[in-house]
Amino acid sequence: MKFEQYNISPLIKQSLEELGFKKPTDIQFKAIPSILKGDDVLGIAQTGTGKTAAFAIPILHLLMRRSHHNLRRQVKCLVMLPTRELAIQIAQVFKDIGKHTELTILGLVGGVDQAPQIKKLDKGVDILIATPGRMFDLVSQGHIDLSRVDILVLDEADQMLDLGFIKDIRDVMKHLPARHQTLFFSATIDEKIKDLAYSIVHNPIRIQISPKDPVSKNVTHSVAHIAMDDKRFFLERLIKEFPNQKILVFVRTKVRAERVFAAMQRVGIDTLTMHGDKDQSDRLKVMNEFKTGKVQVLIATDVSARGIDIQGVDYVVNYDLPDIPENYVHRIGRTGRGVNKGRAVSFCCPEELPILEAIQSYIGKPISVMTIEKTDYVETITFTEDTPNDNWQLLLDEAEKEDATRKKKKKK
Ligand code: AMP
């Protein structure tokens, strides 16, 4: 079934056509009719599945119909998200799909001046897409009235819990009218999420996308066994082998992000970093430079990158394996989005083997191994443009030792 055949406003169909969305993705096909009917939805789907449009399309349609004159420009839909990047990104999807409608959409995040936000709120907003902190500030200052909200969306709920937003979620319910539609989305589901979900949704339609294989079919992923100290040489090689590709590199900590950044700089590779220490304007700048392709490599930590929709990431590199197995799915879900194909590789050192095992058991199958011939391995670490270092010295020492034992054996 194509979007053309859907019973939704022609103004929405027009923007879908402009965005190149012809057919619904799996989650859109399953969620849109239920949301249009007014049902609560519990959706288990990772990003990259088209989850955002799955709720944005029907919400925009419903609100166009409900925008009676006296309700115009009052917050009728609230979308809550755990991070600023996500809120900005989801607001953009609503704006793109709602472009030809008269609905006003506002992405509301902290870390930026609140005066312009207040100005927009005072003029009136139909759909508010927000992170909890700034939203509650402005609710308490009287700039946001949530008493007319009839659709609440909680997106990336598992991450909301991880980041400690449980109280905010409960608090927001106190501001909403008793009767409203709730759409609850999470990439993963465990007992904690289930408890939360079932305490706020009512008789929901449950939609689960590819529960057995959480990795998108569009992503080819593999693991390469590489010693910790050699990872940077392999990253250097990979980036140089794919000069025109957008590469997203995941590391475990912000310190490591900066180290990898410095290592790449030493070999003449321009990269960007994204982690918790960056302020909002830095983050926007980084996102923009990566999105526009000004810089092709972004080094990021999990929290900073979760859920971000960066168009056209060709390659995801797990420079460090993620401590939490499900983050593997989130990370490699940054590529192969929508209908595109993507590739991912994980650099696994011997110390990380237990994590690799945990990831494989989480995704329910082994990850194919990218075999690196010994000569290839040595070539990669010797042909670096990095200045010789301890590692190089170690290798030389090892080669010398081998040589010496070989000579000794010959003498005998
Ligand atoms: P999401 O899971 O919402 O982050 O969406 C992932 C990507 O899929 C985004 O880049 C969307 O633009 C794209 N997308 C969503 N729905 C469709 C569709 N029906 N056809 C093609 N691309 C889509």
Side-chain angles (χ1 to χ4, degrees):
M1 183 152 160
K2 293 191 173 156
F3 281 125
E4 281 163 21
Q5 295 151 279
Y6 272 69
N7 192 12
I8 48 174
S9 157
L11 297 178
I12 295 174
K13 287 185 185 172
Q14 190 183 338
S15 42
L16 292 177
E17 198 183 317
E18 286 161 9
L19 287 166
F21 294 7
K22 294 191 175 64
K23 275 187 350 203
T25 63
D26 204 9
I27 184 150
Q28 290 161 5
F29 181 74
K30 289 178 178 153
I32 292 174
S34 303
I35 300 176
L36 287 175
K37 261 200 291 173
D39 290 332
D40 278 6
V41 167
L42 172 57
I44 319 295
Q46 68 268 33
T47 41
T49 51
K51 176 166 62 110
T52 319
F55 57 80
I57 294 169
I59 288 175
L60 285 161
H61 176 80
L62 289 173
L63 295 195
M64 278 176 76
R65 285 196 332 198
R66 283 178 205 165
S67 279
H68 312 301
H69 231 67
N70 53 350
L71 276 183
R72 201 160 251 178
R73 312 234 150 149
Q74 300 211 26
V75 180
K76 288 177 283 299
C77 169
L78 170 65
V79 184
M80 278 181 58
L81 289 144
T83 66
R84 294 165 186 175
E85 283 79 17
L86 271 169
I88 292 169
Q89 175 191 310
I90 305 299
Q92 194 55 51
V93 174
F94 271 94
K95 285 177 189 165
D96 289 344
I97 301 177
K99 185 167 130 192
H100 302 293
T101 74
E102 286 185 353
L103 296 166
T104 47
I105 295 150
L106 179 65
L108 188 74
V109 298
V112 291
D113 186 12
Q114 62 175 39
Q117 296 177 336
I118 293 174
K119 214 166 150 193
K120 283 185 190 148
L121 282 164
D122 290 350
K123 269 197 195 157
V125 164
D126 296 297
I127 300 173
L128 186 64
I129 296 123
T131 49
R134 177 60 55 93
M135 185 188 75
F136 282 115
D137 280 352
L138 296 180
V139 167
S140 64
Q141 292 172 34
H143 295 289
I144 301 176
D145 171 13
L146 298 175
S147 66
R148 299 288 188 153
V149 168
D150 46 21
I151 307 175
L152 169 71
V153 182
L154 286 178
D155 195 10
E156 303 277 341
D158 46 353
Q159 205 193 354
M160 294 269 239
L161 285 190
D162 288 349
L163 294 175
F165 289 134
I166 180 87
K167 185 170 177 299
D168 296 304
I169 296 173
R170 303 248 181 248
D171 281 352
V172 83
M173 310 302 284
K174 294 180 201 153
H175 293 273
L176 306 186
R179 274 177 62 114
H180 61 263
Q181 184 179 13
T182 305
L183 314 177
F184 186 104
F185 290 92
S186 177
T188 54
I189 184 108
D190 61 16
E191 284 310 312
K192 252 165 69 190
I193 306 281
K194 256 191 230 163
D195 282 352
L196 172 68
Y198 284 103
S199 70
I200 61 175
V201 294
H202 303 285
N203 299 323
I205 304 295
R206 193 179 150 135
I207 298 168
Q208 191 150 359
I209 301 297
S210 329
K212 288 210 179 68
D213 185 4
V215 176
S216 158
K217 285 186 206 74
N218 297 347
V219 183
T220 314
H221 58 123
S222 59
V223 57
H225 292 283
I226 298 169
M228 180 59 95
D229 285 345
D230 298 337
K231 288 184 176 184
R232 61 202 156 111
F233 305 123
F234 282 87
L235 181 62
E236 175 188 349
R237 177 169 171 177
L238 189 137
I239 295 172
K240 286 179 177 164
E241 262 175 29
F242 298 97
N244 297 318
Q245 304 225 331
K246 263 192 196 163
I247 304 176
L248 182 54
V249 181
F250 281 101
V251 290
R252 228 180 32 244
T253 62
K254 50 194 171 205
V255 174
R256 287 184 57 75
E258 290 305 330
R259 275 201 203 145
V260 177
F261 169 82
M264 292 305 110
Q265 209 171 31
R266 283 202 301 274
V267 296
I269 295 173
D270 215 6
T271 65
L272 297 160
T273 58
M274 174 83 132
H275 51 64
D277 274 358
K278 302 254 161 185
D279 67 22
Q280 186 60 9
S281 66
D282 278 348
R283 282 159 173 259
L284 289 175
K285 191 166 164 261
V286 164
M287 290 302 298
N288 196 36
E289 289 190 345
F290 190 62
K291 259 189 190 156
T292 56
K294 189 167 171 230
V295 181
Q296 302 264 38
V297 183
L298 173 63
I299 304 164
T301 55
D302 284 303
V303 171
S304 68
R306 174 90 179 261
I308 296 173
D309 181 30
I310 306 160
Q311 298 289 326
V313 170
D314 302 291
Y315 225 120
V316 168
V317 178
N318 288 319
Y319 191 87
D320 297 320
L321 291 190
D323 288 332
I324 305 167
E326 56 207 61
N327 280 351
Y328 180 81
V329 176
H330 297 308
R331 286 178 175 192
I332 71 174
R334 306 297 102 232
T335 181
R337 293 167 88 82
V339 287
N340 299 323
K341 297 265 176 256
R343 269 200 287 188
V345 66
S346 301
F347 292 172
C348 177
C349 67
E351 298 80 28
E352 290 174 307
L353 286 172
I355 310 179
L356 178 63
E357 251 170 55
I359 293 170
Q360 298 188 132
S361 91
Y362 176 74
I363 62 173
K365 54 172 136 185
I367 301 170
S368 64
V369 177
M370 181 188 275
T371 36
I372 307 173
E373 298 298 334
K374 211 171 167 194
T375 46
D376 237 16
Y377 195 106
V378 174
E379 222 172 74
T380 305
I381 55 178
T382 47
F383 280 82
T384 174
E385 284 172 32
D386 202 353
T387 41
N389 51 36
D390 296 345
N391 210 29
W392 164 273
Q393 198 53 48
L394 273 178
L395 202 86
L396 288 182
D397 291 347
E398 218 176 81
E400 273 171 21
K401 263 190 227 152
E402 261 184 36
D403 216 5
T405 28
R406 222 179 297 127
K407 277 180 190 155
K408 259 192 205 163
K409 272 186 191 160
K410 258 191 183 170
K411 270 188 190 166
K412 279 181 193 166

